[in-house]
Amino acid sequence: MKCHACSKGILSQKTKQHVFTYRGKFIKLDQPGLWCNSCEEGILNGEDIAKTEKSFDEFRSNVDG
Ligand SMILES: [Zn+2]
């Protein structure tokens, strides 16, 4: 699948370290999804998001804590 963001790269299913930000803090999580091999864009489905949802929730609680 071709990347719609850069139209140069190819999207493929893989897990990569993705930076999530919340209120100025950030965390790196292993995010599965369709990732471009040329730019930073990716397509995540519900299942992919569910994989990191819990860790991101915990991170947000820590930031809010
Ligand atoms: Zn791309």
Side-chain angles (χ1 to χ4, degrees), residues 20 31-33 43-56:
F20 294 79
Q31 176 65 69
I43 297 175
L44 309 178
N45 64 29
E47 220 171 278
D48 296 327
I49 291 164
K51 295 252 167 63
T52 49
E53 203 170 31
K54 196 169 169 286
S55 304
F56 189 45

Side-chain angles (χ1 to χ4, degrees), residues 24-56:
K25 310 268 185 188
F26 68 90
I27 187 173
K28 274 186 183 176
L29 298 173
D30 288 332
Q31 176 65 69
L34 281 172
W35 291 107
C36 178
N37 62 2
S38 178
C39 70
E40 290 301 303
E41 285 302 311
I43 297 175
L44 309 178
N45 64 29
E47 220 171 278
D48 296 327
I49 291 164
K51 295 252 167 63
T52 49
E53 203 170 31
K54 196 169 169 286
S55 304
F56 189 45

Side-chain angles (χ1 to χ4, degrees), residues 2-11 35-42:
K2 219 171 189 189
C3 175
H4 293 287
C6 66
S7 69
K8 280 185 288 188
I10 300 294
L11 297 170
W35 291 107
C36 178
N37 62 2
S38 178
C39 70
E40 290 301 303
E41 285 302 311

